[in-house]
Amino acid sequence: MELNQLLGRIVDEVAPLRGSGVVADYIPALARVDPAHFGIAIADIEGSVRGVGDWRMPFSVQSISKVFTLALVLAGSDEALWRRVGREPSGNAFNSLIQLEHERGIPRNPFINAGALTVTDELISQVGDASGELLAFLRAESGNPDLRVDGEVSASEAAHADRNLALTHFMASYGNMRNPVATVLDQYVRQCSIEMSCRDLALAGRFLAAHGVRRDGSELLTRRQAKRVNAIMLTCGTYDAAGDFAYRVGIPGKSGVGGGILAIVPGRCAVAVWSPGLDARGNSVAGVAALDHFTTLTGWSIF
């Protein structure tokens, strides 16, 4: 099926779901976003990108940023991180304190909040300014020098960060924080508050479809490392709904409560979809449906 036809078909299929779900109202700056927005973009491994709908409209990437922070850390030091965070699905809420206590301050995986805070802490130790390093990387890979941290979202999240603060202090009590808690939390909030469009996100994620090779042809990750990041996206990337996402969509994906999802077809393309209405587990209702249709229509599931 020709790409424009494919994208048009997906838009038609998900039209009844636009506006379904609820926006992330626990972050006040995100509560005002219209849930009827929908955009999708596909970037192939050569770097060309096509999209439809609101695919050029910036939105808050939130937890999707965790994929890129993880990749930057692994590019710097592979083994150091895995002594501090696991690689197993959580099965619990993404901000669970109970699970973290049960596992004595070692987060279950890098995509739950505790794990992502640990990854951010590791990146601070490597480069100093973790959010600045991430933003520079995303600007380079997307080809968009205007990417920025949304100050309103960042301030809103910082003002409602009690749970993340508790998680970080709890890990510090077990010796699993290397930098000051306030510094780690500030950097983490900033990374989650970066604004990107579907176009930007698909291009930035293209290196994972290209087995770790960046836009300029240099290697960020080895083929083995890229495989492993994609594997963690598949098993842990959609909060406690990863099994259902694998069942319906069948490719690695990472969602964010801003309504975005980045999905990877290894060896082919990166797909970014955005629709702010979320289901009870924090994943975009129309976004998951769009990716379901995408893999069904193309046959590009990894299964």
Side-chain angles (χ1 to χ4, degrees), residues 6-26:
L6 170 68
L7 291 170
R9 177 84 174 271
I10 290 171
V11 169
D12 291 342
E13 294 282 2
V14 303
L17 296 176
R18 292 178 65 168
S20 298
V22 295
V23 295
D25 56 3
Y26 64 91

Side-chain angles (χ1 to χ4, degrees), residues 24-178:
D25 56 3
Y26 64 91
I27 302 173
L30 299 183
R32 299 190 298 273
V33 180
D34 184 353
H37 283 304
F38 176 82
I40 184 171
I42 302 172
D44 64 27
I45 58 172
E46 284 76 36
S48 65
V49 60
R50 304 279 283 278
V52 293
D54 300 315
W55 70 296
R56 291 184 178 274
M57 182 177 292
F59 61 91
S60 184
V61 298
Q62 294 295 310
S63 287
I64 302 172
S65 64
K66 298 171 182 178
V67 172
F68 301 103
T69 308
L70 175 62
L72 290 173
V73 166
L74 294 180
S77 176
D78 199 331
E79 292 306 315
L81 178 67
W82 299 128
R83 291 192 289 269
R84 305 181 60 198
V85 62
R87 299 187 291 266
E88 296 294 332
S90 68
N92 291 311
F94 61 88
N95 58 358
S96 173
L97 280 160
I98 296 171
Q99 184 173 62
L100 190 60
E101 182 173 18
H102 177 71
E103 295 176 342
R104 302 183 63 79
I106 303 297
R108 181 66 68 91
N109 67 68
F111 292 153
I112 57 175
N113 283 14
L117 286 158
T118 306
V119 174
T120 297
D121 180 54
E122 186 72 26
L123 189 58
I124 292 170
S125 295
Q126 288 185 13
V127 303
D129 182 3
S131 61
E133 184 81 2
L134 173 62
L135 191 57
F137 174 80
L138 294 174
R139 285 170 173 168
E141 294 307 292
S142 68
N144 182 358
D146 297 324
L147 293 184
R148 66 182 185 92
V149 173
D150 185 316
E152 182 185 7
V153 172
S154 179
S156 181
E157 290 202 48
H160 296 80
D162 291 339
R163 179 64 69 93
N164 285 333
L165 191 61
L167 290 168
T168 314
H169 275 297
F170 196 85
M171 289 186 290
S173 76
Y174 278 98
N176 198 17
M177 278 288 124
R178 295 177 176 171

Side-chain angles (χ1 to χ4, degrees), residues 59-71 110-111 113 116 134 137-138 188 191-194 196-198 200-202 204-205 207-208 229 233 237-239 253-264 271-275 282-284 291:
F59 61 91
S60 184
V61 298
Q62 294 295 310
S63 287
I64 302 172
S65 64
K66 298 171 182 178
V67 172
F68 301 103
T69 308
L70 175 62
F111 292 153
N113 283 14
L134 173 62
F137 174 80
L138 294 174
Y188 174 76
Q191 80 175 45
C192 290
S193 302
I194 292 172
M196 300 177 74
S197 66
C198 291
D200 299 328
L201 193 55
F207 77 97
L208 286 170
V229 172
M233 288 175 71
T238 46
Y239 308 117
K254 181 71 195 82
S255 61
V257 295
I261 305 174
L262 172 66
I264 305 297
V271 186
V273 62
W274 173 56
S275 187
N283 298 308
S284 171
L291 291 169

Side-chain angles (χ1 to χ4, degrees), residues 234 244-252 263-269 271 291-303:
L234 181 69
D244 187 62
F245 187 83
Y247 174 79
R248 291 183 60 186
V249 178
I251 53 177
I264 305 297
V265 183
R268 289 185 179 272
C269 64
V271 186
L291 291 169
D292 183 0
H293 290 300
F294 169 78
T295 54
T296 300
L297 292 169
T298 59
W300 289 352
S301 166
I302 65 172
F303 299 108

Side-chain angles (χ1 to χ4, degrees), residues 203-248:
L203 285 170
R206 186 205 61 84
F207 77 97
L208 286 170
H211 309 299
V213 176
R214 296 187 59 172
R215 181 183 183 185
D216 63 4
S218 64
E219 183 182 84
L220 177 71
L221 301 177
T222 66
R223 191 181 186 100
R224 186 185 213 185
Q225 288 174 318
K227 175 191 72 174
R228 290 177 170 177
V229 172
N230 283 328
I232 296 170
M233 288 175 71
L234 181 69
T235 58
C236 307
T238 46
Y239 308 117
D240 56 339
D244 187 62
F245 187 83
Y247 174 79
R248 291 183 60 186

